[in-house]
Amino acid sequence: IACYLKHTGKVSRELFATPLLVIMGTEWPIYALLNSYDWAWPGLPAGRDYMCGQSNRSILAWPELRSALEFDPSQPWRSWWKDSVRFVFDAKVVSDFYTRSRECLYGVYVMNMLKAMWATDTESSAFNIYAPYVQWILYESVHLLGAGGWPIFALLHHFTSLRRHGFRLDFTATELGGLPFREHGEWLQAQPLDRHLSLAQPRPGWR
């Protein structure tokens, strides 16, 4: 177990350090791989109700939110994307977020992720409001995120389907290869500012 925790700790730190926009843009299926793993071993701390099935549900029925995110073969017409809205934007939760976090922390994690998704898909100007909250989720143990009973990694992978475009270089390799003074960067930086700027001006017709 010590070896497992040591290495999952490294994974957690790297995921926390990787911006959500990078995850959205990359072709590497990072969270799809994490979602494919069986996180049952070595289990969860005894007495912890990560799925919020036994929590105080006077404000929000957390098991119902979790159920809305699950695929039910007998109801193929259901949409977790739409079914979760009434929970995610519940005014009673927004009015006292601190209390709801103590009531069901992982449920709140999921709500913030879904809000970031809705912002990405419908009102991208609001994305930066919710993105930091999604990033903070990754400060949590990767094992607990995987084993806690919420589809957190599946939802994080879903962000890749919301990207507007993939990663692309602003310049082609040929253009980068033809940059003036590209082999003499140190010399160019040593020039007075005016001289530097005049030398670094693009050639007529270049780009």
Side-chain angles (χ1 to χ4, degrees):
I1 293 180
C3 180
Y4 171 80
L5 295 177
K6 174 182 177 181
H7 287 87
T8 53
K10 291 181 180 179
V11 174
S12 294
R13 288 191 293 272
E14 291 302 322
L15 293 177
F16 178 68
T18 305
L20 181 58
L21 287 175
V22 173
I23 296 300
M24 292 173 65
T26 183
E27 294 295 332
W28 291 95
I30 296 172
Y31 286 107
L33 288 172
L34 290 174
N35 188 54
S36 69
Y37 180 70
D38 181 0
W39 297 93
W41 185 90
L44 295 170
R48 300 293 180 88
D49 182 25
Y50 289 93
M51 296 176 68
C52 308
Q54 303 169 11
S55 302
N56 175 11
R57 299 190 297 276
S58 58
I59 298 298
L60 190 74
W62 299 106
E64 290 184 25
L65 168 59
R66 198 176 67 253
S67 177
L69 300 171
E70 297 173 351
F71 174 69
D72 184 355
S74 67
Q75 298 178 305
W77 60 86
R78 281 184 49 194
S79 168
W80 65 267
W81 184 244
K82 295 178 180 178
D83 291 346
S84 62
V85 172
R86 67 185 179 94
F87 299 101
V88 172
F89 294 100
D90 188 294
K92 291 177 291 186
V93 175
V94 175
S95 65
D96 192 355
F97 221 59
Y98 177 74
T99 300
R100 305 316 147 223
S101 297
R102 293 180 62 85
E103 182 176 298
C104 185
L105 180 60
Y106 279 40
V108 170
Y109 284 168
V110 167
M111 292 177 67
N112 283 329
M113 292 167 62
L114 293 172
K115 287 180 180 179
M117 286 182 187
W118 275 100
T120 303
D121 194 47
T122 61
E123 185 53 63
S124 58
S125 61
F127 172 79
N128 288 333
I129 296 175
Y130 300 110
Y133 295 100
V134 177
Q135 202 69 39
W136 293 336
I137 293 170
L138 301 173
Y139 190 74
E140 180 67 275
S141 159
V142 68
H143 176 78
L144 295 181
L145 292 177
W150 294 85
I152 290 177
F153 292 142
L155 291 172
L156 284 167
H157 177 65
H158 186 71
F159 271 102
T160 61
S161 69
L162 301 175
R163 61 176 173 239
R164 304 295 174 88
H165 55 77
F167 287 159
R168 289 188 289 272
L169 288 173
D170 290 332
F171 300 95
T172 66
T174 302
E175 288 172 326
L176 289 173
L179 286 175
F181 303 103
R182 70 187 183 91
E183 303 295 343
H184 308 284
E186 185 175 347
W187 173 81
L188 186 63
Q189 292 291 339
Q191 303 305 306
L193 178 61
D194 292 343
R195 174 67 171 161
H196 181 133
L197 293 176
S198 65
L199 289 170
Q201 288 296 321
R203 300 166 185 168
W206 185 79
R207 193 60 169 177

